[in-house]
Amino acid sequence: MSTTEVGFRSARGPILIALMLTTGLVAIDATILATAVPTIVGDLGGFAQFPWLFSIYLLAQAVSVPVYAKLSDTLGRKPIVMIGIGLFLLGSVLCGLAWSMPALIAFRAIQGLGAGAVQPMAITIAGDIYTVVERAKVQGYLASVWAISSVVGPSLGGIFSQFLSWRWIFFVNIPLCLIAAWMLQRTFHETVTVRRHRVDYLGAILLTSALTLLILAVLEGGQAWAWDSVPSIAAFSTGAVLLVLFGFAERRAAEPVLPLWAFSRRLLLSTALISVGVGAILIGLTSFVPTYLEGVLGTPPLVAGLALAALTVGWPISAALSGRFYLRIGFRNTALIGVTIVLIGALILAGTAGTPLLGVTALSCFVVGLGLGLVATPTLIAAQSSVEWDERGVVTGANLFSRSIGSAVGVAIFGAVANAIIGASASGVRDAASVQAASAAVFVAVAITAALTVVAAVSMPRRTAG
């Protein structure tokens, strides 16, 4: 089909609308919670635990993505995305009813299991029904969802937490899930040859256990126990051993949950490493910028949310334009330009954290967002375009898995840094001075992560398929 047939009025227009609605579920959730964190902590307590709200969600999302991706290559995309929407809806309702921080953290895991199917399936379906050239235009439509969500999400989060109740940031997902499911059921039809499949339960259990222990060790180190204590050493060492066992299990599995070949090719490995960096950078800013502004400057939640929105406004703007770049100068050069812009924005944020200004923080977030849009989209499409249909789900899942792992581990490390600095401050409590020092350290860590992501982008091959 020609590129002129991409749009709402084309034959595939109804499917595109359904994919945009589905993408909106994850897009809004990406920003709406961060703005409300200080309010949630004030209601439920547990500031030191708040990174778990992000880590457990992202961990559940990360470990389930490869499972869903494999099942989608055998059962089809539609049943998997519908299961994901159902789990996301259930998790949202339970989160809205949470009575304590541990309960909210547990229910976020259910929500993450749903997101693990929703986001990659929407991207994979787009990869199935559109060519590489067409996807350059489709990205503009999908990017518009993130653009709208980048304003709606933080705004709703600020309004709910400031004027109503933070619980509405979860209840708002109920109508969105129902509409998205109805649209997909009505518009998207696929023909799939169903074949027998084996779910790699052992691999999924080993991977989940390993990552949970490692994140637990990072988040609780220096808090629940000393870094050099027996529980800390046991958590780190057991997690590492389980990761090694996971690698051996995947070599023997008939249908591995995360095929090692998805990281054995240079293009796939480099784009996966870039995704790890993107995930860490994104979560570092979305989880700490609102807390930084509200805790240091006393910025109202709504205003802090709009400052964070600058990050997610910049992303879709450049993502929508990224197709023109990678079709002209290639995936690698586009990614290099993007990650350089990310590094510049991160350095500005880290350099000015000692003298906080709302406008400078928002501008830095916008610059980082512009760069991320030129990194995330081209590298994912480069990976997708290098494989055939029956491998595309696994490759998409592996790439998004890497981003989720980057976010899950990243927020754990950033949270550990912040908690350690607050605990070592003169007051030993969370006040404006300690929050400022902790946030500054986190922003420096984000800049270091951006620099490492530049190295990963340099390692991409100059020529890619597609």
Side-chain angles (χ1 to χ4, degrees):
M1 298 182 181
S2 66
T3 57
T4 58
E5 296 184 14
V6 174
F8 295 146
R9 297 184 179 181
S10 68
R12 295 165 292 181
I15 301 177
L16 177 59
I17 294 173
L19 295 180
M20 292 172 67
L21 286 170
T22 305
T23 301
L25 295 177
V26 178
I28 290 180
D29 191 76
T31 55
I32 194 172
L33 176 62
T35 311
V37 163
T39 305
I40 294 174
V41 170
D43 186 15
L44 301 180
F47 178 81
Q49 294 176 306
F50 99 79
W52 276 108
L53 293 176
F54 299 94
S55 274
I56 197 68
Y57 172 91
L58 293 163
L59 177 60
Q61 181 182 27
V63 298
S64 63
V65 162
V67 176
Y68 292 133
K70 187 63 181 177
L71 291 177
S72 77
D73 283 342
T74 58
L75 300 178
R77 322 303 191 197
K78 186 174 181 177
I80 302 303
V81 73
M82 297 298 281
I83 290 173
I85 292 175
L87 286 172
F88 193 84
L89 174 59
L90 174 62
S92 297
V93 172
L94 292 174
C95 284
L97 300 174
W99 55 88
S100 66
M101 184 64 78
L104 181 57
I105 291 171
F107 297 147
R108 281 283 286 172
I110 298 175
Q111 202 179 24
L113 290 174
V118 170
Q119 184 178 15
M121 285 306 100
I123 296 174
T124 305
I125 291 170
D128 291 339
I129 66 176
Y130 294 105
T131 66
V132 173
V133 175
E134 289 174 331
R135 268 176 260 165
K137 286 192 172 183
V138 171
Q139 286 302 319
Y141 289 93
L142 296 180
S144 69
V145 175
W146 288 92
I148 296 172
S149 300
S150 67
V151 177
V152 173
S155 299
L156 285 178
I159 291 172
F160 290 154
S161 60
Q162 189 172 343
F163 301 109
L164 296 173
S165 169
W166 59 265
R167 298 179 186 277
W168 281 99
I169 69 178
F170 298 108
F171 290 148
V172 75
N173 289 328
I174 296 175
L176 295 177
C177 288
L178 295 176
I179 294 172
W182 177 75
M183 282 292 295
L184 277 172
Q185 179 64 31
R186 180 173 174 268
T187 63
F188 180 54
H189 307 285
E190 60 181 344
T191 301
V192 179
T193 302
V194 179
R195 57 187 178 88
R196 296 182 61 184
H197 59 279
R198 298 178 182 177
V199 179
D200 181 18
Y201 293 110
L202 177 61
I205 292 172
L206 287 173
L207 181 61
T208 303
S209 302
L211 294 176
T212 301
L213 283 172
L214 291 174
I215 290 175
L216 176 67
V218 172
L219 271 178
E220 299 301 329
Q223 299 295 316
W225 52 64
W227 287 105
D228 58 353
S229 66
V230 172
S232 178
I233 296 173
F236 275 117
S237 58
T238 305
V241 170
L242 289 177
L243 274 183
V244 173
L245 293 177
F246 169 74
F248 285 115
E250 295 307 272
R251 292 180 179 274
R252 299 173 60 88
E255 296 184 29
V257 64
L258 190 62
L260 298 183
W261 64 258
F263 301 99
S264 63
R265 306 170 192 174
R266 181 180 171 186
L267 173 62
L268 299 181
L269 177 59
S270 58
T271 53
L273 291 175
I274 292 171
S275 289
V276 170
V278 168
I281 293 166
L282 181 61
I283 199 64
L285 299 187
T286 55
S287 59
F288 281 93
V289 164
T291 300
Y292 167 65
L293 293 176
E294 294 177 41
V296 178
L297 295 179
T299 306
L302 178 57
V303 178
L306 292 176
L308 176 62
L311 170 69
T312 43
V313 165
W315 184 320
I317 289 175
S318 57
L321 298 173
S322 65
R324 299 182 182 181
F325 282 91
Y326 67 67
L327 290 175
R328 179 170 299 181
I329 64 176
F331 293 116
R332 179 178 182 270
N333 290 337
T334 302
L336 281 172
I337 293 173
V339 75
T340 301
I341 295 174
V342 170
L343 179 58
I344 292 172
L347 288 173
I348 294 174
L349 184 60
T352 59
T355 54
L357 293 172
L358 178 62
V360 174
T361 301
L363 177 62
S364 301
C365 289
F366 179 74
V367 173
V368 171
L370 281 177
L372 289 176
L374 291 176
V375 177
T377 301
T379 52
L380 175 58
I381 294 179
Q384 284 183 328
S385 303
S386 66
V387 298
E388 299 298 330
W389 183 93
D390 60 344
E391 293 182 338
R392 191 171 298 139
V394 169
V395 167
T396 302
N399 192 277
L400 295 180
F401 166 83
S402 300
R403 185 187 302 183
S404 295
I405 287 300
S407 292
V409 176
V411 74
I413 294 174
F414 300 148
V417 169
N419 287 333
I421 291 179
I422 291 175
S425 64
S427 62
V429 296
R430 183 170 58 94
D431 55 16
S434 62
V435 170
Q436 180 175 346
S439 300
V442 168
F443 297 153
V444 169
V446 168
I448 294 173
T449 304
L452 294 175
T453 308
V454 171
V455 176
V458 171
S459 69
M460 281 184 68
R462 295 182 180 276
R463 295 181 179 274
T464 60

